[in-house]
């Protein structure tokens, strides 16, 4: 998978990850990965084009 940049709101830190899943919520697409500093998830908004490429 393509490496994406995520922002962890709880630890206020940016990180990159290539291990994530694409989820759809209310018609919008998100990349979701586990936080590097805890057990919570970090979400990143994706465009429809990005999500379509990643689901293949």
């Amino acid at each position: 998978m393509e490496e994406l940049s995520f922002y962890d709101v709880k630890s206020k830190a940016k990180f990159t990850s290539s291990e994530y899943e694409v989820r759809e919520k209310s018609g919008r697409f998100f990349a979701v990965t586990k936080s590097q500093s805890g057990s919570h998830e970090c979400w990143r908004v994706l465009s429809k084009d990005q999500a379509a490429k990643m689901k293949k």
Side-chain angles (χ1 to χ4, degrees), residues 35-46:
S35 168
Q36 292 183 326
S37 64
S39 60
H40 56 282
E41 293 180 327
C42 297
W43 291 56
R44 174 197 164 115
V45 177
L46 297 174

Side-chain angles (χ1 to χ4, degrees), residues 4-43:
L4 291 179
S5 174
F6 290 87
Y7 181 73
D8 187 337
V9 178
K10 289 188 178 180
S11 68
K12 296 185 173 84
K14 272 189 166 183
F15 65 95
T16 58
S17 177
S18 57
E19 292 183 27
Y20 51 84
E21 61 182 73
V22 176
R23 294 190 198 166
E24 185 179 354
K25 190 172 185 177
S26 305
R28 295 183 77 186
F29 294 94
F30 300 89
V32 184
T33 190
K34 292 277 183 207
S35 168
Q36 292 183 326
S37 64
S39 60
H40 56 282
E41 293 180 327
C42 297
W43 291 56

